[in-house]
Amino acid sequence: MKITIEATVNAPINRVWKAWVTPEDITHWNFANDDWCCPSAKLDLVEGGKFEYRMEVKDGSLGFDLTGTYTQVSPNTSLSFRLDDLREVNVTFIQVDGGADVIVTFEAETQNPPEFQRNGWQAILDNFKKYVEHSLS
């Protein structure tokens, strides 16, 4: 099952792209709520390159690594990757008046209900939007 989420970020598309693929930016937005954090992000942004994002509860009681391999990289346009559990994720960046639409389509995993997954990924995307827009003000 594929799930799609989206947000319009009120920022130039090149800034939106940069915030999505720069480790220093990723650590500021890649979590669903304020109880969590992303203390590290490592990536090799080329087709076949690997990435690893550490996500954990701020008190250190729970955490996990999100890892995968880039399968397609088109700067300011799109990005695709395969998570290490073999699920595919596609991210599209579309220039619109006043900003950029970010559309993420991902394959759902089987451990959690689809709506739970949609809400979690959407919360991270909303956090991304907030981070990018506030970093410009």
Side-chain angles (χ1 to χ4, degrees):
M1 170 183 202
K2 290 188 177 183
I3 297 172
T4 299
I5 58 169
E6 59 186 283
T8 299
V9 182
N10 298 311
I13 199 164
N14 60 333
R15 174 63 185 123
V16 173
W17 171 264
K18 179 182 176 293
W20 194 270
V21 300
T22 303
E24 295 77 19
D25 286 316
I26 294 167
T27 60
H28 290 282
W29 61 261
N30 195 25
F31 42 89
N33 66 55
D34 290 338
D35 293 334
W36 283 74
C37 64
C38 179
S40 66
K42 302 173 194 167
L43 59 91
D44 181 16
L45 189 64
V46 296
E47 291 179 19
K50 305 274 187 192
F51 66 87
E52 179 179 324
Y53 306 144
R54 178 70 186 163
M55 301 166 88
E56 59 187 41
V57 179
K58 287 181 180 175
D59 68 9
S61 63
L62 179 65
F64 64 93
D65 293 321
L66 184 67
T67 55
T69 304
Y70 294 107
T71 56
Q72 180 266 326
V73 178
S74 296
N76 296 330
T77 304
S78 63
L79 184 67
S80 298
F81 53 91
R82 181 176 298 111
L83 297 171
D84 283 350
D85 66 7
L86 303 182
R87 292 183 297 136
E88 300 286 337
V89 180
N90 299 299
V91 186
T92 305
F93 303 85
I94 301 171
Q95 183 76 51
V96 297
D97 285 343
D101 283 342
V102 180
I103 304 163
V104 180
T105 301
F106 64 95
E107 290 181 283
E109 41 94 348
T110 57
Q111 295 178 331
N112 295 291
E115 196 59 28
F116 177 82
Q117 295 176 65
R118 176 188 312 279
N119 292 343
W121 284 61
Q122 185 67 55
I124 293 170
L125 184 57
D126 292 345
N127 204 34
F128 171 77
K129 170 184 168 63
K130 179 179 159 187
Y131 168 73
V132 173
E133 291 176 354
H134 284 100
S135 70
L136 293 176
S137 56

